[in-house]
Amino acid sequence: MALVDTHCHLDFDAFDSDRAAVVARAQEAGVDAVLNPSTDIANAAKVVALAHETACVCAAVGVHPNSSLEWGAHSADELRALARKPKVVAIGEIGLDYYWDEAPHDVQRKVLQAQLELAAEMELPVILHNREASEDLLAILLEWQAGLRASGSPLAAKPGVLHSFSGDQAMAEKAAAAGYFLGFTGPLTFKNAPELQAIAAQAPLEQILVETDSPFLSPHPLRGQRNEPARVKLVAEKLAELKGLPYEEVAAATSANAQRLFGIGGQQ
Ligand code: NI
């Protein structure tokens, strides 16, 4: 049963010594597509090149909130040019991070806004990072989506994913009701995550994506190790357990969701 890892950073140095083997292990584990978002403009080009070279890898381009200070007058043009390349299926990862606080919050919001505008222009869904910024992020996303709706954009119906969802139940409900997808990663499998597990159990299956965020967030029982896309299976298995559904049904549904949002994967 095919799975799609809709968020991994295969371009990172952590995979420099064995990237091809990591991709091969993912395919052996039934992962037929992976989506690799960028975190800044320099690695956006690297991610696009990796997608070009590797059949099962697709790319997203964007500037992570922790890199917001690098945003300049030409950044939107640079991203636009990269976003037009083959196999670029989303703008990301973008968002707000008030935990690491690498950039002033108003700068983060401005850079997010600029990239939401680019996504709207290119009709590409967004991959959203959120750390301790749920309230601001949700307000910005709902306002952006209202604009999409007003302009008749098809993106309004499936605007993007809240990657590695870390908000509360109320945010999950509001985001899902608006049509956003919720992405779940390794922490779903952790023993100390009852709140996150309850959110996943209640979220609509047709709006859930499974992700690894490799090399980070390795699932239980491999917590603390370097993560890799093959382990997305552990996230899907936990999701099936939480929902009380057969694994095959959850794998098929999350893969269909990846196909619907990003147009990737889909070999069942
Ligand atoms: Ni990430």
Side-chain angles (χ1 to χ4, degrees):
M1 179 58 66
L3 285 171
V4 178
D5 178 1
T6 54
H7 196 115
C8 65
H9 298 280
L10 280 180
D11 61 294
F12 281 15
D13 297 353
F15 297 110
D16 277 355
S17 63
D18 63 346
R19 192 168 286 112
V22 168
V23 169
R25 276 200 293 276
Q27 291 183 303
E28 275 160 34
V31 178
D32 72 352
V34 305
L35 177 47
N36 192 146
S38 79
T39 51
D40 58 33
I41 293 194
N43 90 333
K46 193 173 169 187
V47 165
V48 170
L50 184 65
H52 182 73
E53 288 160 13
T54 319
C56 66
V57 176
C58 292
V61 296
V63 172
H64 189 285
N66 291 346
S67 302
S68 296
L69 287 175
E70 77 162 38
W71 189 264
H74 303 293
S75 298
D77 290 339
E78 288 170 327
L79 281 184
R80 183 182 295 104
L82 287 165
R84 288 198 178 114
K85 303 268 189 194
K87 297 180 81 180
V88 177
V89 300
I91 298 295
E93 61 181 286
I94 61 176
L96 299 175
D97 192 319
Y98 294 173
Y99 175 79
W100 289 107
D101 247 354
E102 299 280 347
H105 298 179
D106 61 326
V107 174
Q108 293 191 34
R109 287 192 292 263
K110 193 192 80 178
V111 173
L112 170 60
Q113 205 72 54
Q115 295 183 95
L116 291 173
E117 282 167 24
L118 180 65
E121 174 197 323
M122 307 207 65
E123 287 184 4
L124 288 173
V126 289
I127 298 171
L128 297 150
H129 171 101
N130 168 36
R131 203 133 177 225
E132 297 186 4
S134 294
E135 205 176 317
D136 279 8
L137 183 64
L138 188 61
I140 289 169
L141 292 179
L142 295 180
E143 193 190 337
W144 175 62
Q145 195 184 13
L148 293 173
R149 212 175 283 120
S151 66
S153 170
L155 211 50
K158 41 174 191 173
V161 57
L162 294 169
H163 137 70
S164 197
F165 185 79
S166 66
D168 61 10
Q169 180 71 43
M171 187 190 191
E173 286 173 10
K174 284 179 199 159
Y180 285 89
F181 289 68
L182 307 179
F184 292 99
T185 46
L188 189 70
T189 67
F190 295 171
K191 291 199 161 95
N192 59 353
E195 191 191 346
L196 186 65
Q197 290 165 352
I199 289 169
Q202 289 173 48
L205 181 58
E206 62 277 14
Q207 281 172 266
I208 294 180
L209 298 173
V210 286
E211 320 176 316
T212 60
D213 207 13
S214 301
F216 311 114
L217 303 178
S218 189
H220 174 82
L222 306 167
R223 189 173 178 176
Q225 298 180 9
R226 182 190 71 168
N227 201 4
E228 61 177 66
R231 297 182 188 167
V232 76
K233 191 171 183 191
L234 294 168
V235 179
E237 284 172 351
K238 185 67 186 186
L239 185 62
E241 178 199 317
L242 291 167
K243 290 211 164 282
L245 292 172
Y247 168 76
E248 290 72 19
E249 187 177 335
V250 165
T254 55
S255 294
N257 296 344
Q259 175 65 39
R260 206 162 74 251
L261 182 61
F262 298 122
I264 63 173
Q267 295 165 30
Q268 301 297 325

